[in-house]
Amino acid sequence: MSHDLTPIPELYVSYESSQKLKLEAAELISHDLTPRQICDLELLMNGGFNPLKGFLGQADYESVVDNMRLADGTLWPMPITLDVSEGFAETIEIGQDIALRDQEGVILATMTITDKWVPNKPHEAEKVFGADDSAHPAVNYLHNTAGAVYLGGPVTGIQQPVHYDFRARRDTPNELRAYFRKLGWRKVVAFQTRNPLHRAHQELTFRAAKEAQANLLIHPVVGMTKPGDIDHFTRVRCYEAVLDQYPSSTTTMSLLNLAMRMAGPREAVWHGLIRKNHGCTHFIVGRDHAGPGKNSAGEDFYGPYDAQDLFRTHQEEMGIEMVDFKHMVYVQDRAQYEPADEILDKDNVTILNISGTELRRRLSEGLEIPEWFSFPAVVEELRKTRPPRAEQGFTVFFTGFSGSGKSTVANALMVKLMEMGGRPVTLLDGDIVRKNLSSELGFSKEHRDLNIRRIGYVASEITKNGGIAICAPIAPYASTRRAVREDVEQFGAFIEVHVATSIEECERRDRKGLYKLARAGKIKEFTGISDPYDVPENPELRLETESVPVDNCAHQVILKLESLGLIKG
């Protein structure tokens, strides 16, 4: 494959033009970009998504979804779209320019609107991700976070998003190409990762570089990855701790601000095209590359080698060669890592391996992580961010009908946890939050969602800072509870407790007289009467409160927290 390191097209205008555009953009309607859209825009502007010239129009979008190709036939597997709310879309006309701003209001680009349409999201989910299943994080995002309307059109770049972290490690495609030209690197193999590097990864990357007779680019993703992944600050510190294990003359590291979709086979092809734009000739494709885990039926979304098969089909057209990711295991008898499928005497040797789940367990319980598995410096960084579970913050989230006993049990739990001591405990009760955080909100679905998201935000901050948050709202909608779970699980454990008191019992109790008012039609959209309640399918704990003392209910939660290692028995 030819290695062309000439600069690739960027979408930025000159400095003088950008200053003029900034002034003119003050008159334009502005769209504040989401974190995912900022990642996409950065890679559009700097050429990482070459040949795209902006967010896809409808014809390109439909062709990409159905055929993995732009309307002109160019290979491109991932729809890059600007999703907006219906309200915003109504203010926009075709042919109009809008300003694209980051979350602080800084202008990054302007965009000329050529297309505006309402996509068929179930079809997009089915074709791009293989199933319209909300267990897939990108499908969940598509249905519950992304806007209802897509806008398409070319982008004019004014300035790149500002990153205050690891600035020396961030390179545009053209900066990496210039670096490779300067060093005379003719072959470069890229290693994509969203996890810390351990000894198996080091061995794998060494072998891949040797096999391709190439230099090595460690190219970790630091944009959006999978909910629950280790934050990129910790990961980059881990990568830096490992870098001195690599020969500096043949290895470099650069950070990629990509918002992953976890789309398996399509994602692998997409990653390959992005690395080609960054000047790489080879790309390591892993077993279950960019797989999101299990679907709703508990099975893997993609086969372990689907990504490799699809990449292999298109590698010649892409102009970047695949290096197979070998599953590396540690052979104790020979004190070295070897590809699992190449060990001929596997019945006569001791093979050791630690899965990601087992690693998380050892970290959470403060157990030893052997040196054959990881580097002491990496383990040290991970322990700083992931102390043993009994020292981490966590959130207990009660959900159930009005009058089910959530607040009463939550109060009892708070007192028991305070009695134990060790961590600050905060109760975010539905009524207290309504009074102090959400006094201006009504009871429409939109406002109730917003109220729960606020509770989730506060709970995630408490969890992040090592405290215990106890939440006791009704929280009737499963999608909103899931969003709160994702917010919290970035920083600690989330324990959903379904207070499963029947609607009949709640109505019989009716301490506040609300059911009576709802039956009389004086309260609209009342959960359980005139508005639905999504019963939690897999809560960590289900409490039956009818004829069970409050103290006993709270004690059940304490026992659950002990069994999860969150409090010491």
Side-chain angles (χ1 to χ4, degrees):
M1 308 230 172
S2 65
H3 196 204
D4 178 14
L5 289 176
T6 54
I8 57 167
E10 296 184 349
L11 304 182
Y12 292 111
V13 293
S14 68
Y15 177 77
E16 293 74 20
S17 301
S18 74
Q19 297 308 317
K20 185 164 161 280
L21 268 177
K22 272 186 200 174
L23 291 173
E24 291 171 3
E27 306 298 315
L28 300 177
I29 288 179
S30 289
H31 172 65
D32 291 340
L33 299 159
T34 63
R36 178 153 114 174
Q37 290 167 350
I38 291 172
C39 291
D40 287 351
L41 178 65
E42 180 172 349
L43 286 163
L44 280 170
M45 295 192 297
N46 70 21
F49 285 172
N50 184 58
L52 305 193
K53 298 290 179 266
F55 290 99
L56 297 184
Q58 188 172 359
D60 279 328
Y61 160 80
E62 287 172 355
S63 181
V64 165
V65 166
D66 288 333
N67 312 310
M68 283 185 31
R69 293 183 181 277
L70 301 173
D72 68 4
T74 307
L75 182 69
W76 188 265
M78 200 57 57
I80 306 298
T81 50
L82 188 71
D83 58 278
V84 299
S85 67
E86 288 170 317
F88 183 81
E90 282 166 14
T91 67
I92 301 297
E93 298 295 327
I94 301 290
Q96 188 175 344
D97 285 354
I98 62 169
L100 302 179
R101 298 179 183 273
D102 71 12
Q103 293 178 311
E104 273 76 52
V106 176
I107 184 159
L108 302 177
T110 61
M111 173 178 169
T112 304
I113 307 300
T114 58
D115 296 74
K116 177 170 81 168
W117 76 100
V118 175
N120 179 346
K121 288 186 177 183
H123 180 71
E124 180 180 335
E126 198 71 51
K127 298 294 283 189
V128 177
F129 305 109
D132 187 16
D133 180 346
S134 283
H136 193 300
V139 175
N140 180 50
Y141 184 96
L142 185 66
H143 289 309
N144 298 313
T145 305
V149 181
Y150 287 177
L151 302 179
V155 159
T156 303
I158 294 174
Q159 60 187 344
Q160 56 186 3
V162 179
H163 300 289
Y164 297 107
D165 59 324
F166 308 113
R167 293 178 83 149
R169 295 269 181 214
R170 293 178 183 269
D171 305 283
T172 67
N174 281 328
E175 284 167 346
L176 270 184
R177 284 170 167 245
Y179 179 79
F180 298 154
R181 275 201 309 274
K182 182 179 177 182
L183 294 186
W185 287 10
R186 306 301 302 146
K187 284 184 176 180
V188 183
V189 60
F191 178 58
Q192 138 96 29
T193 177
R194 46 171 253 272
N195 294 310
L197 292 181
H198 302 295
R199 290 190 189 272
H201 300 108
Q202 184 206 28
E203 185 61 36
L204 152 81
T205 50
F206 276 163
R207 280 173 176 260
K210 199 170 162 188
E211 193 179 306
Q213 294 182 311
N215 296 286
L216 177 66
L217 170 67
I218 298 172
H219 208 201
V221 170
V222 294
M224 296 171 71
T225 58
K226 186 180 165 190
D229 279 352
I230 291 171
D231 68 276
H232 81 264
F233 301 102
T234 302
R235 288 192 287 114
V236 175
R237 290 197 302 272
C238 289
Y239 302 141
E240 291 186 326
V242 174
L243 264 185
D244 61 3
Q245 305 289 330
Y246 290 87
S248 58
S249 58
T250 59
T251 305
T252 191
M253 178 171 86
S254 180
L255 308 183
L256 180 65
N257 197 43
L258 174 73
M260 288 183 67
R261 273 45 166 195
M262 310 305 296
R266 279 195 185 223
E267 182 113 4
V269 172
W270 188 41
H271 288 172
L273 290 168
I274 293 166
R275 283 1 186 270
K276 173 77 164 64
N277 286 333
H278 282 78
C280 300
T281 53
H282 294 73
F283 182 56
I284 299 170
V285 179
R287 188 176 179 278
D288 192 25
H289 184 96
K294 307 285 184 195
N295 63 18
S296 295
E299 294 158 3
D300 289 337
F301 270 95
Y302 312 113
Y305 302 107
D306 289 0
Q308 291 182 359
D309 294 343
L310 191 67
F311 197 103
R312 200 175 279 111
T313 308
H314 294 289
Q315 67 178 6
E316 199 155 321
E317 182 180 2
M318 290 156 67
I320 184 166
E321 210 170 303
M322 178 173 78
V323 180
D324 297 22
F325 182 123
K326 304 283 194 295
H327 178 49
M328 306 299 292
V329 291
Y330 186 72
V331 181
Q332 190 176 25
D333 311 59
R334 294 192 274 274
Q336 65 183 24
Y337 275 91
E338 297 177 18
D341 53 2
E342 291 177 19
I343 302 170
L344 301 176
D345 56 350
K346 55 168 62 98
D347 295 335
N348 304 318
V349 294
T350 304
I351 294 171
L352 302 176
N353 193 26
I354 291 181
S355 66
T357 309
E358 172 64 9
L359 173 64
R360 285 190 289 277
R361 186 186 76 83
R362 288 179 181 230
L363 283 170
S364 72
E365 294 179 21
L367 301 174
E368 185 213 354
I369 293 165
E371 258 195 61
W372 61 260
F373 176 76
S374 194
F375 305 95
V378 170
V379 174
E380 192 183 327
E381 285 297 340
L382 291 174
R383 288 207 195 279
K384 281 183 203 165
T385 312
R386 295 278 173 107
R389 277 197 122 183
E391 295 167 25
Q392 290 176 18
F394 62 88
T395 292
V396 180
F397 192 93
F398 289 93
T399 171
F401 292 122
S402 175
S404 60
K406 299 182 302 298
S407 299
T408 313
V409 178
N411 266 296
L413 175 66
M414 176 179 71
V415 172
K416 285 176 181 286
L417 289 170
M418 288 171 83
E419 183 187 355
M420 289 178 182
R423 281 171 282 194
V425 186
T426 306
L427 175 61
L428 299 167
D429 183 59
D431 293 339
I432 296 167
V433 169
R434 278 275 174 186
K435 186 175 162 189
N436 294 295
L437 266 184
S438 301
S439 57
E440 85 288 9
L441 298 183
F443 289 87
S444 65
K445 180 180 190 308
E446 187 187 355
H447 277 196
R448 280 190 283 178
D449 273 353
L450 184 53
N451 181 49
I452 301 302
R453 292 307 299 265
R454 286 179 184 176
I455 291 172
Y457 171 72
V458 175
S460 72
E461 288 294 305
I462 291 166
T463 301
K464 177 169 76 175
N465 290 293
I468 299 171
I470 302 173
C471 311
I474 294 171
Y477 309 120
S479 60
T480 318
R481 294 195 300 263
R482 174 172 173 158
V484 170
R485 179 185 285 275
E486 287 178 1
D487 288 347
V488 170
E489 284 185 341
Q490 294 176 62
F491 309 113
F494 180 88
I495 297 87
E496 184 177 37
V497 180
H498 177 214
V499 183
T501 314
S502 67
I503 190 77
E504 294 77 18
E505 174 65 14
C506 293
E507 195 164 354
R508 192 186 61 72
R509 293 175 184 175
D510 203 12
R511 279 210 335 249
K512 300 173 189 171
L514 298 174
Y515 284 92
K516 200 172 179 183
L517 292 170
R519 290 285 183 201
K522 291 177 182 172
I523 301 179
K524 305 287 181 213
E525 297 178 313
F526 189 82
T527 301
I529 303 294
S530 51
D531 205 58
Y533 176 78
D534 299 337
V535 175
E537 288 181 14
N538 299 301
E540 277 72 13
L541 183 63
R542 214 180 289 278
L543 286 181
E544 306 292 343
T545 64
E546 296 174 40
S547 69
V548 179
V550 171
D551 195 56
N552 186 282
C553 291
H555 191 65
Q556 284 183 55
V557 183
I558 292 283
L559 290 173
K560 184 69 186 176
L561 296 175
E562 276 185 11
S563 74
L564 293 170
L566 291 163
I567 54 179
K568 287 193 168 124

